[in-house]
Amino acid sequence: MSAVSPALPPSFLRDAWRIARKDLLIEFRTRSAFLAAAVFAVLSVVIFRFTWDPTAIPAMDLAPGVLWVIFTFSGLLGLNRSFGLELAERAYDGLLASQVSRESVFAGKVLGNLVFVCGIQLLTLPAVVLFFDLPVGGAWLLLLVILLLASLGLAAVGTLFAAVASNTRLAELLLPMMTLPFFVPLVLPAAQASAVILRGLPASDAAAWLKVLVAFDLVFVSACVAVFPFTIEE
Amino acid sequence: MASSVTTAERMELPARVRPVDGFLLVSLVLVAAACVRAIWFTPVDAMLGAAQKIFYVHVPAAIAGLYIACGLLAVASIGYLWIKDERLDRLAEASAEVGLLFMGVVLVTGPIWARTSWGTWWAWEARITSTLFLWLLVLGYLVLRGAVESAESRARLSAVMGSLAALLVPFIHLTVRLFRGMHPGPVVLKPEKPSLPPEMAITFGLASVAFILLFFALLRMRFRWAGLRNAQAELEAV
C-alpha cells in the first residue's frame, strides 16, 4: 500500500478508498446486509415471475421495470446500514475526529455503497434474464454502463440521505420516503434505456435516457458532496 | 422573565395575538368573491361545459402551491445553509406545509375535471405525474422535519433536503416529459393555451390574485405560529 500511496495524486481518493475498504471489509466479514439484500432481490424476482401472466403482458414490457424496482429496493437495504454501522459505539465521532476530510468520508461511503449496489445488481440481473427468459443481445456492455451510471446516482443520493436519516428517530422508515422521489429521474431513464437494449433496438434509441442519467450523476454527485458536511453535528 | 422578553423580541413575535387576522380575512373574502363570480357571473364554456369552472380554482392553486411554495422552499433552504438564519428555516417549513395544502387542492380538483373532460380520473400525463411526485417529495420533507428532535438539527437536515429538492424538480419534470413524450397520448390539452374571452380572463385574474393572497396569508400565520412554538420550546428548555 505504501508503495502505491505516493503515486495517488490527492489524499482525497486515498482516504475515500480507505473508508470504502473498511466498510466493505466489515460487510465481507459479516455478510449480513449483502445476504439479506441478495435474498430479497431473488425472492422479488420469483414473486414478480409468479404474479405475471405471460399471455397478457410480454416479458419485454415487464422485465425492465421489475429489474429496476428490485435494484432500487435492495439497494435501500444496503444504504440503511451504511451509517448505522458507524453509529454503534459512537464510531462516527471517531471517524470525524480523524484527519480525513468530510468530503473523503462521503466519497468513501458512496464508493462502498456503489460496490454493494453493483454486487446486488450483478446477482439479480442473471436471475431476471433467466426467469423471464430474456435475450440479452450484443449490447450487454451498454447495459452494464447503464447499471453503473444509475448506481452511481443511487449510491450518492442514497448515502447522503442515509446520513440525514441516521440523525432521526425513524431512520429505516424515513430513508425510502426521502429517497424514492429522488430516484425517479434515475430509475425511469435506466428502465427505459434497459428496455431499449433488451428489445434489441439500436443503441441510439437510448441516447436521450443516457443523457439524463449522466446529467443527474454530474449534478447530484457534486451537490451531495457539497451539502454532506451540513449533515454532521458540529 | 427577562429571557422571555428577549426571546420574543428576537423572534419578532407580535405584541399580542389578534383573534382575527385581517390579511387572512381579506383573502378569504376575495376567494369567496372569485368563486361567486366564477359560478354565477362567468359564461359556461361551450366545449367543456360547467366542469371548466374548476379551472378557476385549479390553476390559481397550482400557481401558489407549485411555483410560489416550492420556489420559496428551495430559496429558503439554500439560504438557511448559507447564513443559518432561523427565520429562513421557519419560512421553509411554512411554505412546505401551506404548499402541500395547495398542491392537494390541485391534485383533487384535477381528477374531477379530468373525469368530465378526458373521461378518466387520472392520466399519467407529464404535468400531473410531476405534481404527484412533487407532492410526495414535500410530504417526505415534512415527515423528516417531524422526525428530528433538536431544533438546530431539524433546521440543518431539512435544509439539506430542501436544497437538493430544488435541483430535483427540473429533473423530474424533464424525465416525466421525455417518458410521455415518446408515447404521445390522447391528452394534449393545455388549459392555459387557448386565449380566454375577457369575461373569463377577468375571473381567472381575480381568482389568481385571491389564491395568491390566501397563500401568503396562510404562510404568514404558519410562520408566526412556528415562531411562537420555537419560543415556547426555548422557554421550556431554560
Side-chain angles (χ1 to χ4, degrees), chain B residues 10 18 37 50 79 115 153 180 198:
Chain B
R10 189 158 46 77
R18 293 186 191 85
R37 192 185 148 84
R115 178 72 188 147
S153 305
R180 286 297 150 193

Side-chain angles (χ1 to χ4, degrees), chain B residues 1-8 235 238:
Chain B
M1 199 60 204
S3 72
S4 76
V5 176
T6 49
T7 307
L235 284 173
V238 170

Side-chain angles (χ1 to χ4, degrees), chain A residues 34 71 79 93 113-114 150 215:
Chain A
F34 191 80
F71 287 166
L79 293 169
D93 293 349
N113 283 329
L114 187 64

Side-chain angles (χ1 to χ4, degrees), chain A residues 139 142 146 188-213, chain B residues 178-179 181-183:
Chain A
L142 191 60
I146 296 167
L188 213 82
Q192 292 297 312
S194 315
V196 169
I197 290 166
L198 291 176
R199 279 170 209 278
L201 297 170
S204 59
D205 286 9
W209 299 116
L210 281 172
K211 277 183 201 158
V212 176
L213 286 179
Chain B
L178 262 177
F179 185 52
M182 288 190 165
H183 309 275

Side-chain angles (χ1 to χ4, degrees), chain B residues 190-236:
Chain B
K190 295 189 181 103
E192 311 79 78
K193 271 282 151 71
S195 54
L196 289 170
E199 278 173 315
M200 287 184 173
I202 290 170
T203 311
F204 176 61
L206 177 68
S208 300
V209 170
F211 268 82
I212 290 168
L213 284 181
L214 179 66
F215 172 82
F216 281 107
L218 290 173
L219 186 79
R220 194 176 75 142
M221 282 189 77
R222 185 63 184 75
F223 181 78
R224 283 187 176 167
W225 179 84
L228 288 169
R229 178 204 56 198
N230 290 358
Q232 187 191 11
E234 216 166 294
L235 284 173
E236 278 168 2

Side-chain angles (χ1 to χ4, degrees), chain B:
Chain B
M1 199 60 204
S3 72
S4 76
V5 176
T6 49
T7 307
E9 276 173 358
R10 189 158 46 77
M11 296 197 158
E12 293 166 19
L13 297 176
R16 63 192 179 86
V17 181
R18 293 186 191 85
V20 180
D21 184 73
F23 187 14
L24 183 67
L25 201 67
V26 169
S27 58
L28 281 174
V29 167
L30 267 174
V31 168
C35 289
V36 167
R37 192 185 148 84
I39 295 170
W40 285 291
F41 301 99
T42 307
V44 176
D45 189 277
M47 297 262 287
L48 298 167
Q52 183 265 344
K53 297 196 176 200
I54 264 184
F55 164 78
Y56 303 117
V57 172
H58 181 77
V59 180
I63 295 172
L66 288 171
Y67 298 101
I68 302 180
C70 293
L72 275 178
L73 170 63
V75 170
S77 296
I78 296 169
Y80 180 83
L81 289 184
W82 200 280
I83 54 173
K84 293 268 157 71
D85 189 329
E86 180 263 349
R87 280 172 300 179
L88 284 171
D89 174 53
R90 273 191 284 149
L91 179 63
E93 179 189 4
S95 23
E97 229 172 86
V98 182
L100 195 74
L101 179 75
F102 277 76
M103 277 188 244
V105 171
V106 175
L107 287 173
V108 169
T109 52
I112 296 174
W113 179 82
R115 178 72 188 147
T116 53
S117 301
W118 295 341
T120 172
W121 291 104
W122 188 270
W124 287 101
E125 186 259 352
R127 198 174 294 198
I128 306 172
T129 315
S130 317
T131 309
L132 179 67
F133 282 133
L134 207 57
W135 188 81
L136 289 170
L137 185 71
V138 175
L139 197 65
Y141 171 87
L142 288 171
V143 173
L144 168 66
R145 291 197 70 99
V148 188
E149 304 264 353
S150 111
E152 195 272 335
S153 305
R154 186 188 315 125
R156 202 160 32 79
L157 295 175
S158 53
V160 165
M161 184 171 176
S163 44
L164 278 187
L167 293 173
L168 181 72
V169 173
F171 270 100
I172 286 194
H173 199 74
L174 172 77
T175 313
V176 181
R177 263 222 350 236
L178 262 177
F179 185 52
R180 286 297 150 193
M182 288 190 165
H183 309 275
V187 178
V188 194
L189 212 143
K190 295 189 181 103
E192 311 79 78
K193 271 282 151 71
S195 54
L196 289 170
E199 278 173 315
M200 287 184 173
I202 290 170
T203 311
F204 176 61
L206 177 68
S208 300
V209 170
F211 268 82
I212 290 168
L213 284 181
L214 179 66
F215 172 82
F216 281 107
L218 290 173
L219 186 79
R220 194 176 75 142
M221 282 189 77
R222 185 63 184 75
F223 181 78
R224 283 187 176 167
W225 179 84
L228 288 169
R229 178 204 56 198
N230 290 358
Q232 187 191 11
E234 216 166 294
L235 284 173
E236 278 168 2
V238 170

